[in-house]
């Protein structure tokens, strides 16, 4: 019979005590090394790491989390239908950024949808049990009760896009106002005279700011913004189609459209083509997001680039900071983190 290497016990996983004995140090020292504490000499750290490798020790992360009153999990909450999440590039880019930020950590990400009263009640029960350490909340509408629920439960949370200028939760947003101004200014510089816009849902603060930017650019150019040149969309392709039909009925002479998302711009393009309008000869078209949709359209779409993946990373980094700081009562006096990322106009053949 051949004698195999013993890891200090017959069967089962090696323990922290066995690692300590093999390295010739105390249990607390092993714990500090595993948790990345700087209060350990390089010689001791090397001895512990060698013992860990030799024994094949794997830290019990569940026990560590329980001892620290942590779950080592965060939730990504989307108050939208699943179909929208899986079809719109905005959400996949956000998710990509979140994944990149979580990569170096041991945290698990839970994805949940809360589109409707029943789903919200179920989510509220789940969160009230403190089964996650924090929440990332995307696509928030002004009347959404979820942010207030998170505040009441004192769960660290970060939202994508503020609900108002005085957002009480930590948030990561893009400069929607400046991005829209740049898009409309570009159309004016191209000599366009009747510029319409397809707005997003105006119960979303970011959509309000894009509409403000549209109005501001026209006013600064000495143009009086007309309400009839504004049609509300809902950030979907069908919403873009419906809004474009309405705008053509009102203003058959329009020669430019600023759509407040690339997906709505794609819908608008279909209607313009059906009406016999050439892009950009007859009507110049600009979108917002600079998603894959913009690059694949024919002609390629001029669009306002918002760094969506960077938003996901920034949201996650802000949430990790919120979790690390904890939520004592005095934290309510602290001004929440408010991150606003720059936008950039990317000019293509549609203008």
């Amino acid at each position: 019979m051949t004698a195999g290497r013993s890891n200090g016990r017959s069967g089962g996983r090696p323990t922290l005590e066995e690692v300590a004995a093999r390295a010739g140090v105390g249990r607390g020292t092993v714990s500090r090394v595993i948790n990345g504490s700087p209060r350990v000499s390089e010689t001791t750290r090397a001895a512990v790491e060698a013992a860990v490798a030799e024994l094949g020790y794997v830290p019990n992360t569940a026990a560590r989390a329980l001892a620290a009153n942590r779950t080592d999990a965060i939730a990504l909450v989307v108050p939208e239908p699943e179909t929208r999440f899986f079809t719109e590039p905005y959400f996949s880019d956000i998710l990509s950024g979140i994944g990149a930020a979580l990569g170096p950590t041991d945290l698990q990400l839970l994805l949940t949808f809360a589109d409707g009263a029943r789903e919200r009640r179920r989510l509220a029960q789940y969160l009230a049990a403190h089964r996650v350490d924090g929440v990332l909340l995307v696509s928030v509408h002004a009347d959404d009760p979820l942010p207030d629920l998170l505040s009441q439960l004192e769960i660290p949370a970060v939202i994508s896009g503020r609900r108002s200028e005085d957002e009480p939760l930590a948030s990561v947003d893009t400069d929607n106002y400046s991005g829209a101004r740049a898009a409309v200014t570009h159309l004016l510089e191209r000599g366009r005279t009747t510029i319409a816009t397809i707005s997003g849902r105006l119960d979303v603060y970011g959509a309000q700011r894009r509409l403000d930017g549209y109005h501001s650019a026209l006013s600064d150019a000495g143009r009086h913004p007309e309400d009839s040149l504004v049609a509300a969309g809902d950030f979907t392709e069908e919403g873009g189609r419906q809004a474009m039909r309405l705008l053509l009925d009102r203003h058959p002479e329009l020669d430019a459209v600023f759509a407040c998302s690339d997906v709505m711009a794609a819908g608008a393009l279909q209607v313009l083509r059906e009406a016999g309008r050439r892009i950009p000869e007859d009507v110049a078209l600009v979108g917002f997001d600079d998603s894959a949709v913009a690059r694949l359209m024919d002609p390629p779409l001029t669009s306002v680039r918002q760094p969506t993946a960077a938003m996901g990373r920034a949201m996650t980094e802000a949430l990790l900071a919120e979790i690390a700081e904890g939520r004592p009562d005095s934290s309510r006096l602290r001004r929440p983190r408010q991150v606003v990322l720059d936008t950039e106009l990317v000019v293509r053949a549609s203008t």
Side-chain angles (χ1 to χ4, degrees):
M1 186 174 73
T2 303
R5 186 183 70 181
S6 170
N7 63 7
R9 60 188 296 188
S10 58
R13 57 189 289 169
T15 67
L16 199 68
E17 289 76 9
E18 289 166 353
V19 173
R22 180 64 61 93
V25 299
R27 185 180 187 279
T29 300
V30 175
S31 180
R32 285 193 290 275
V33 171
I34 290 173
N35 287 293
S37 171
R39 297 186 296 118
V40 181
S41 71
E42 287 305 316
T43 301
T44 299
R45 187 183 305 279
V48 171
E49 290 174 348
V52 166
E54 186 176 347
L55 294 175
Y57 174 76
V58 178
N60 188 338
T61 55
R64 286 164 51 197
L66 182 62
N69 195 28
R70 293 266 301 274
T71 66
D72 279 347
I74 63 173
L76 171 60
V77 178
V78 185
E80 298 283 358
E82 292 183 37
T83 52
R84 185 178 174 200
F85 180 88
F86 289 110
T87 56
E88 291 191 22
Y90 172 84
F91 294 106
S92 60
D93 288 346
I94 285 278
L95 188 58
S96 173
I98 293 170
L102 287 180
T105 77
D106 294 325
L107 293 174
Q108 297 296 315
L109 179 67
L110 307 177
L111 173 61
T112 184
F113 299 93
D115 178 40
R118 180 182 176 187
E119 289 81 2
R120 284 185 173 89
R121 285 195 299 271
R122 189 166 55 194
L123 176 63
Q125 293 171 353
Y126 186 84
L127 295 177
H130 291 277
R131 294 178 178 174
V132 294
D133 296 324
V135 172
L136 299 169
L137 186 58
V138 302
S139 193
V140 184
H141 302 278
D143 59 351
D144 197 319
L146 287 175
D148 293 334
L149 171 66
L150 295 171
S151 294
Q152 292 167 12
L153 295 174
E154 296 191 350
I155 296 176
V158 179
I159 64 177
S160 68
R162 294 166 290 174
R163 291 170 293 166
S164 70
E165 188 67 30
D166 301 318
E167 174 59 56
L169 290 180
S171 70
V172 175
D173 207 349
T174 53
D175 193 345
N176 293 289
Y177 175 83
S178 295
R181 270 187 58 91
V184 178
T185 299
H186 169 70
L187 291 170
L188 290 165
E189 290 172 346
R190 286 287 198 267
R192 305 295 167 151
T193 58
T194 307
I195 303 173
T197 186
I198 300 175
S199 75
R201 290 180 54 175
L202 295 181
D203 60 345
V204 177
Y205 182 66
Q208 296 174 23
R209 295 301 287 156
R210 291 178 196 180
L211 185 58
D212 290 343
Y214 163 82
H215 284 144
S216 176
L218 290 177
S219 296
D220 286 353
R223 309 285 181 87
H224 177 68
E226 298 180 33
D227 291 343
S228 60
L229 283 168
V230 178
D234 59 0
F235 293 114
T236 68
E237 189 171 347
E238 179 57 30
R241 283 193 287 266
Q242 293 179 7
M244 193 67 250
R245 292 189 189 103
L246 180 60
L247 288 169
L248 283 175
D249 287 342
R250 291 175 179 170
H251 291 275
E253 79 285 4
L254 65 81
D255 59 1
V257 177
F258 166 49
C260 288
S261 79
D262 292 345
V263 173
M264 292 195 299
L269 177 64
Q270 295 171 23
V271 172
L272 288 167
R273 284 227 167 105
E274 290 168 0
R277 308 300 172 89
R278 298 169 300 165
I279 310 297
E281 293 85 355
D282 301 321
V283 179
L285 183 62
V286 180
F288 201 111
D289 289 331
D290 192 38
S291 62
V293 171
R295 297 186 290 275
L296 295 175
M297 283 174 60
D298 180 22
L301 181 68
T302 294
S303 183
V304 178
R305 175 178 295 163
Q306 59 173 346
T308 315
M311 286 179 66
R313 286 195 300 272
M315 287 177 66
T316 308
E317 290 164 359
L319 181 61
L320 295 180
E322 295 279 322
I323 293 171
E325 290 178 6
R327 296 297 297 267
D329 290 343
S330 61
S331 71
R332 294 172 182 165
L333 302 176
R334 173 177 58 79
R335 181 174 177 81
R337 292 174 173 83
Q338 305 288 357
V339 178
V340 179
L341 303 178
D342 291 335
T343 55
E344 175 191 0
L345 182 67
V346 181
V347 178
R348 298 191 178 93
S350 68
T351 57

